[in-house]
Amino acid sequence: MSVQAEKLADKLADAKLADVGNRAAAPRKGRRLRAFLRNPTFVAGVIILSFFVLLALFADVLFPGDPLDMVGPPVLWPGENAEFPLGTDSLGRDVLAGLVHGARASLLVGLSAAAIGLAIGMVVGAAAGFFGGWIDTLLMRVVELFQTTPTFLLVVVIVAIGEPTMQTIALAIGIASWPTVARLVRAQFRSLREADFVMAARSLGYSNLRIIAQEILPNALPPVIVAASVMIANAILTEAGLSFLNMRDPNLVSWGGMIGAGRDLLRTAWFLTALPGVAIAAAVLSLNLVGDGLNEILNPRSEP
Amino acid sequence: MSLLAVENLTVAFPGHVAVREVSFAIEPGETLALVGESGCGKSVTAFSMMRLLPPNARVVTGRILLDGADLMAASPAEMREVRGKKISLIQQEPMTSLNPVLSIGTQIGEVIRRHEKVSRRTARARCIELLDLVSIPDAHRRIDDYPHNLSGGMRQRVMIAMAVACGPKLLIADEPTTALDVTTQAQVLDLLDDLRRRLSMAVLLITHDLGVVAQWADRINVMYAGRIVEQAAIRPFFAQPMHPYSRGLLGARVDVDADEHYSASRLSEIPGSVGSAAGEAGCPFAPRCPMVETSCRVVPPSLLAFEAGRRVACPVSLQAVTLEAARHG
Amino acid sequence: MAEPLLSVRDLHTRYAVGKQVLRAVDGVSFEVGRGETVGLVGESGCGKSTLGKTVLRLVPSVEGAIVLDGADITRLGDGAMAQHRRRMQMIFQDPFGSLNPRQTIRTVLDTALKVHRQGDRAERRRRMTEIVERVGLPADALDRYPHEFSGGQRQRIGIARALVLRPALIVCDEPVSALDVSIQAQILNLLVDLKRDLGLSYLFISHDLSVVRYFADRVLVMYLGRIVESASHATLWRDPRHPYTKALFAALPSTDPTHKRGAPPIKGELTTDLSSGCRFCSRCPAATDRCRSEEPLLRSVGEGHHAACHYA
């Protein structure tokens, strides 16, 4: 029954589309924005995420000085000392300062890893999906090669080969995550390249590059944008995992690093692991919420 | 008593009203055609009769009486008994209406076992009979085929077999042949007509094709922008369509019988599109109508009786026809 | 006789479907004269759409020749092909899928003009305004997106896109079958007007024989990748020779309820079984042993009238 109801809804949506013809169109941008604001999932995600972004941006203002400095007595519980509202760790470092600065490191790793993954994945996926044939076969074998290796293991190996700096870690996560994007983009391109409007572009004599960039890519982007938010979340998680294994940039605080450092005191001072854990969970959740919201909003069916 | 009566049905979706004050009745054993263009509300009307509207639809007013009982008041469990057993539905797209991972025998059997307490073996035997009934050759072998093994016309036959499996009193056929080729269309519609007679059921034929209506229906309801604008028996309708929209539809169609060619004659067109009706207070067809008068733009005309079994929602056209008749006779 | 605008000789197009090879177009020859409308009619899967796309070089052919304006374009590379693209364009069936949802109408038209280096900015703007008006769209349509238009209007946009480069040949692939009846007449009338005013030639592909008969000067009937009958519209209507053509006519429902229909003329549906003999013989009411063993070739059965049937 629900299938039929859905079909009817589709039909009606089409019929409504056909109806809008003569009405003057409201400015497209304004309508888009309203669609964003009407989506509670998306708004919730954006609020949490902006909170972390603001922390990251103003970390130096809020907590000047190196968060790795010892500033107080070791293992102060939250609330024990007003100067350190969230306590201090085993080396007497301010946990709150660590969390705030850690937001910067975690988001930065997440963003740059996702950017690297997207860049490689989109180029490979677009080429494979658009051209098909032997190019597709070849590129997809490479993708499979990467996908059969466990992601985390791959990251560990790459970081172990290089220095454990932020750049290496981001690069490693990016390299390990592009195959997902490539598959997604390839699937989009394969279906879109058969679309009538792409046929029309070819019949107008457009070059392949123009067809890829101007006709197909803008239509292929929505699911990629959604995937990107999840990729950032995954990158943050992977970085945390690496830090836990002590593969972290020794000169920077990150949430994962804080969890790793608090591990030894898990029984006596569990808040040292719990607080950065909550931060990671909240950040990942917000990114997923944003992703879900984007998915609903960017879905062409729901477009006004 | 009519088999099914729709009384004053109005269905609204957020932001627009899809069906407005629609009333009609279906007599036992007849084929009633519901005709109109996409978005006119014909499918919504049909889905309302099955109580299968999407969740954002709201039935504002109206009753649907099946053998005197109001379906709008029926419980979900009672509705499930009605669907498939008393009223069943076949849809336009036989590709997506069948589950691709189940054999057709399983799917038809499911319908039978859903409504009747019979063994698997009996259901299977019934299933073969049904496939025979819808003229699928080698029914006992075809029963284990999957939808992708079948051609479009064969799939539609399977859909029909499922729809008539429990002997419904009314079969709603929503654009049953639109996705089919013209030679297949004739076969499928003949099959439907044959089944209607043999199983003594009524058929509500929803279509946009007036040729199909002329050949396979007994009566016609023409819908425009959510309203019924003309109700008539087939012969009088095609002899003299009364509503300007009915006339426009017939005139715009390239007919097989008419010897027209672009070099000699233009097709008559209905100007504008359905969207032109948005926001109009009066007759929804007024913005496109060649006979429009100022009174048309005030209130939407209701259906007026013209002769027995014929009602038209256009006082202007009725008056013109009456005057014409008086002059001649 | 003047050289035809388009001449297609023994064209073959094949698709690989899994391990099987589907001969979608299997040895088709025809011509489209200057200012002529050629109708191509057949059921879904008969290869008519593929034929249209092959002629436009959107689908590769494996054999045969496509000659446009005296130039053989069958094997031209992308670069050399580009200049010929301007001469032939296509109108698509689906008014929703044939327009890029993320481009305004101005972008759609302007890109085409820019790619083909047609005029400077002012000239391009003039031509866009002109064409939009010519196809009956409001002047403010240029800066709107496809989803803001109704189906009929979108089809007008598709026509504007096809015409903006001033082509000579338009391949119309079921241009009205996705539209409502009342809109179909508008679009068909528009196509007739444009043909008259701009001296266009059409290859008009449709499954609807009544529309083709109204719209075409000459009609080709296609069945399973082959042309089975070709004749002028009047001849075909008066005297169809191939049993398939007769069946197509007989299957069309008349809007005259007193005109009683007969039994369905042919049984079964299009198959892809291409054994020896006539492709239509499994469905033909008059098939004989000869039909099952010997494939009939297209032969002349009258003035400008050809049919591929032993008994035509």
Side-chain angles (χ1 to χ4, degrees):
Chain A
M1 111 149 231
S2 66
V3 177
Q4 283 169 335
E6 257 171 48
K7 253 189 237 157
L8 179 66
D10 281 0
K11 259 192 179 178
L12 293 168
D14 290 350
K16 273 205 73 186
L17 272 180
D19 277 352
V20 293
N22 287 29
R23 267 177 256 154
R28 189 180 158 88
K29 289 244 165 60
R31 229 166 11 186
R32 235 329 141 65
L33 188 68
R34 247 178 295 143
F36 278 117
L37 293 180
R38 263 205 303 269
N39 190 313
T41 328
F42 181 75
V43 171
V46 165
I47 290 174
I48 306 176
L49 189 61
S50 341
F51 172 70
F52 283 119
V53 170
L54 286 176
L55 284 189
L57 285 177
F58 296 106
D60 286 332
V61 183
L62 293 169
F63 293 93
D66 192 341
L68 289 171
D69 285 349
M70 286 176 256
V71 288
V75 200
L76 274 181
W77 275 74
E80 213 174 314
N81 182 333
E83 209 180 320
F84 309 109
L86 292 182
T88 59
D89 71 358
S90 57
L91 293 173
R93 293 178 293 207
D94 186 351
V95 172
L96 184 57
L99 284 179
V100 170
H101 281 267
R104 175 180 280 189
S106 293
L107 286 180
L108 206 62
V109 169
L111 278 175
S112 28
I116 294 167
L118 281 176
I120 308 176
M122 277 169 59
V123 170
V124 171
F130 184 78
F131 293 106
W134 66 267
I135 298 182
D136 184 33
T137 316
L138 184 76
L139 290 175
M140 286 330 277
R141 288 300 91 80
V142 178
V143 167
E144 278 161 18
L145 197 70
F146 272 84
Q147 285 200 313
T148 45
T149 326
T151 316
F152 195 71
L153 196 67
L154 189 62
V155 176
V156 168
V157 169
I158 299 176
V159 175
I161 294 171
E163 291 283 299
T165 60
M166 269 301 155
Q167 288 88 334
T168 325
I169 292 171
L171 187 69
I173 299 175
I175 288 176
S177 62
W178 68 267
T180 326
V181 184
R183 279 195 178 276
L184 190 66
V185 173
R186 171 177 176 266
Q188 287 281 311
F189 267 69
R190 276 171 74 96
S191 67
L192 283 167
R193 77 168 176 199
E194 307 292 335
D196 274 352
F197 67 83
V198 174
M199 245 340 155
R202 286 174 56 200
S203 83
L204 287 163
Y206 294 0
S207 66
N208 285 339
L209 199 62
R210 184 183 286 276
I211 291 177
I212 291 177
Q214 197 174 336
E215 305 289 334
I216 304 187
L217 198 58
N219 289 290
L221 274 184
V224 177
I225 294 173
V226 174
S229 63
V230 179
M231 280 174 75
I232 300 176
N234 282 341
I236 291 176
L237 284 174
T238 311
E239 190 274 337
L242 284 174
S243 300
F244 193 77
L245 295 177
N246 252 334
M247 303 183 90
R248 60 166 182 259
D249 194 327
N251 303 316
L252 281 174
V253 198
S254 75
W255 292 337
M258 291 173 74
I259 296 179
R263 179 173 49 173
D264 299 336
L265 300 175
L266 194 59
R267 286 177 185 221
T268 50
W270 52 267
F271 69 93
L272 289 177
T273 6
L275 288 173
V278 168
I280 291 177
V284 169
L285 177 73
S286 72
L287 283 161
N288 277 305
L289 288 178
V290 169
D292 282 352
L294 283 173
N295 195 19
E296 278 172 41
I297 297 161
L298 297 178
N299 187 340
R301 282 249 192 88
S302 60
E303 197 167 298
Chain B
M1 191 172 64
S2 303
L3 171 68
L4 182 134
V6 176
E7 289 180 357
N8 198 28
L9 181 72
T10 298
V11 183
F13 285 85
H16 84 137
V17 181
V19 174
R20 288 174 195 267
E21 296 153 30
V22 162
S23 299
F24 63 90
I26 304 172
E27 305 304 323
E30 76 166 342
T31 299
L32 176 67
L34 198 54
V35 178
E37 298 178 287
S38 53
C40 74
K42 54 190 196 298
S43 294
V44 178
T45 305
F47 279 86
S48 312
M49 293 161 67
M50 298 280 278
R51 290 262 309 273
L52 284 177
L53 287 169
N56 62 344
R58 197 165 55 87
V59 176
V60 183
T61 60
R63 298 198 300 167
I64 290 173
L65 300 174
L66 177 70
D67 283 332
D70 186 5
L71 294 184
M72 285 299 167
S75 69
E78 286 167 338
M79 262 333 282
R80 280 196 290 275
E81 280 307 304
V82 169
R83 288 185 206 121
K85 180 132 188 162
K86 288 185 173 155
I87 308 180
S88 55
L89 175 74
I90 53 175
Q91 299 186 62
Q92 174 174 352
E93 207 36 84
M95 288 289 218
T96 50
S97 304
L98 287 168
N99 185 338
V101 298
L102 296 178
S103 73
I104 58 174
T106 314
Q107 297 189 52
I108 301 175
E110 219 168 79
V111 177
I112 300 173
R113 285 164 55 84
R114 162 83 189 73
H115 288 287
E116 289 164 40
K117 297 274 166 287
V118 293
S119 69
R120 252 170 224 290
R121 184 179 302 185
T122 323
R124 192 177 164 86
R126 281 272 301 282
C127 196
I128 294 175
E129 275 171 40
L130 281 165
L131 291 178
D132 259 335
L133 186 70
V134 296
S135 313
I136 289 182
D138 292 334
H140 60 282
R141 269 195 296 149
R142 285 293 190 177
I143 186 169
D144 295 318
D145 274 356
Y146 288 85
H148 68 262
N149 300 125
L150 304 173
S151 65
M154 284 298 167
R155 284 199 199 103
Q156 199 57 298
R157 284 172 194 272
V158 171
M159 288 306 298
I160 293 172
M162 281 170 75
V164 303
C166 294
K169 301 244 184 60
L170 172 64
L171 179 67
I172 301 175
D174 186 5
E175 303 269 8
T177 57
T178 306
L180 303 178
D181 283 318
V182 59
T183 52
T184 320
Q185 162 173 294
Q187 298 169 29
V188 168
L189 287 170
D190 272 347
L191 171 69
L192 269 181
D193 205 45
D194 181 49
L195 289 176
R196 174 180 68 87
R197 260 178 265 253
R198 284 163 67 179
L199 307 176
S200 59
M201 59 181 184
V203 174
L204 179 66
L205 182 64
I206 298 175
T207 178
H208 65 277
D209 187 340
L210 285 171
V212 166
V213 176
Q215 293 299 315
W216 280 283
D218 300 314
R219 288 194 302 131
I220 181 171
N221 280 338
V222 182
M223 281 187 86
Y224 186 80
R227 293 175 190 276
I228 291 184
V229 296
E230 182 160 2
Q231 297 181 318
I234 290 305
R235 289 209 178 188
F237 177 85
F238 284 97
Q240 187 189 28
M242 303 257 296
H243 195 280
Y245 176 64
S246 312
R247 274 204 290 275
L249 266 189
L250 258 176
R253 188 177 188 277
V254 193
D255 195 53
V256 255
D257 296 330
D259 191 9
E260 294 174 302
H261 194 249
Y262 80 91
S263 52
S265 65
R266 264 178 97 74
L267 295 172
S268 62
E269 39 181 275
I270 306 179
S273 65
V274 186
S276 335
E280 286 283 332
C283 174
F285 191 59
R288 305 175 73 185
C289 184
M291 307 177 70
V292 65
E293 292 182 0
T294 36
S295 61
C296 300
R297 302 194 190 268
V298 186
V299 278
S302 49
L303 280 169
L304 304 167
F306 171 66
E307 51 196 33
R310 182 148 208 197
R311 301 201 295 161
V312 186
C314 181
V316 179
S317 176
L318 268 182
Q319 201 178 14
V321 171
T322 320
L323 280 177
E324 185 75 4
R327 200 177 309 146
H328 286 287
Chain C
M1 201 176 102
E3 182 192 50
L5 176 65
L6 174 78
S7 165
V8 171
R9 284 194 298 274
D10 194 32
L11 198 65
H12 292 255
T13 307
R14 285 173 205 152
Y15 284 124
V17 183
K19 288 256 157 67
Q20 279 186 320
V21 174
L22 183 70
R23 296 157 175 263
V25 178
D26 199 17
V28 166
S29 305
F30 66 94
E31 288 177 352
V32 180
R34 286 167 209 280
E36 188 186 30
T37 300
V38 173
L40 181 61
V41 71
E43 293 178 291
S44 54
C46 75
K48 57 189 192 299
S49 214
T50 306
L51 176 56
K53 287 180 178 148
T54 310
V55 167
L56 289 178
R57 290 280 321 272
L58 295 173
V59 167
S61 55
V62 288
E63 248 182 271
I66 308 160
V67 179
L68 179 74
D69 252 347
D72 188 335
I73 59 165
T74 327
R75 304 268 172 266
L76 290 184
D78 282 353
M81 190 60 214
Q83 51 163 326
H84 294 283
R85 294 251 180 240
R86 201 154 57 80
R87 304 277 296 146
M88 48 185 201
Q89 282 300 312
M90 180 156 180
I91 298 170
F92 294 83
Q93 168 174 9
D94 177 9
F96 292 86
S98 61
L99 296 169
N100 189 334
R102 293 177 197 277
Q103 290 179 358
T104 61
I105 313 313
R106 185 184 300 281
T107 313
V108 170
L109 300 178
D110 203 29
T111 312
L113 290 170
K114 268 196 243 168
V115 166
H116 288 275
R117 299 196 182 80
Q118 303 284 299
D120 55 13
R121 256 185 86 176
E123 163 74 2
R124 291 203 305 269
R125 183 172 302 174
R126 199 186 56 72
R127 275 174 70 172
M128 285 191 282
T129 320
E130 182 188 285
I131 196 68
V132 160
E133 209 170 289
R134 187 67 201 77
V135 299
L137 286 168
D140 65 348
L142 276 174
D143 291 306
R144 286 154 66 183
Y145 286 87
H147 73 261
E148 298 171 32
F149 295 92
S150 67
Q153 285 177 315
R154 284 180 192 219
Q155 203 56 309
R156 290 176 195 268
I157 298 169
I159 295 172
R161 172 180 59 195
L163 289 178
V164 75
L165 292 173
R166 299 180 176 155
L169 174 71
I170 307 270
V171 174
C172 311
D173 189 3
E174 303 263 14
V176 297
S177 49
L179 304 175
D180 278 324
V181 182
S182 71
I183 307 297
Q184 284 188 7
Q186 294 176 9
I187 297 295
L188 286 172
N189 282 338
L190 173 66
L191 289 173
V192 170
D193 294 344
L194 290 170
K195 173 192 154 94
R196 263 192 204 129
D197 299 351
L198 308 174
L200 299 171
S201 305
Y202 290 128
L203 177 61
F204 187 90
I205 301 170
S206 176
H207 69 282
D208 188 336
L209 195 50
S210 49
V211 169
V212 170
R213 192 180 61 83
Y214 170 79
F215 194 78
D217 300 310
R218 208 149 48 77
V219 181
L220 312 173
V221 182
M222 199 165 172
Y223 190 80
L224 277 182
R226 293 265 171 102
I227 288 171
V228 295
E229 185 158 8
S230 84
S232 78
H233 72 98
T235 310
L236 194 78
W237 177 234
R238 215 176 38 243
D239 184 25
R241 294 295 188 86
H242 198 282
Y244 179 63
T245 316
K246 291 179 191 168
L248 278 182
F249 273 121
L252 285 173
S254 158
T255 46
D256 180 358
T258 58
H259 185 124
K260 262 300 142 206
R261 61 182 193 274
I266 51 175
K267 299 247 181 297
E269 286 171 70
L270 207 72
T271 53
T272 41
D273 170 36
L274 298 185
S275 41
S276 61
C278 177
R279 285 157 196 238
F280 185 59
C281 73
S282 63
R283 299 174 72 190
C284 184
T288 63
D289 283 343
R290 186 179 172 202
C291 300
R292 279 179 272 275
S293 57
E294 183 189 336
E295 177 161 14
L297 299 174
L298 204 59
R299 62 189 173 87
S300 176
V301 292
E303 173 84 42
H305 190 173
H306 299 264
C309 175
H310 297 306
Y311 303 99

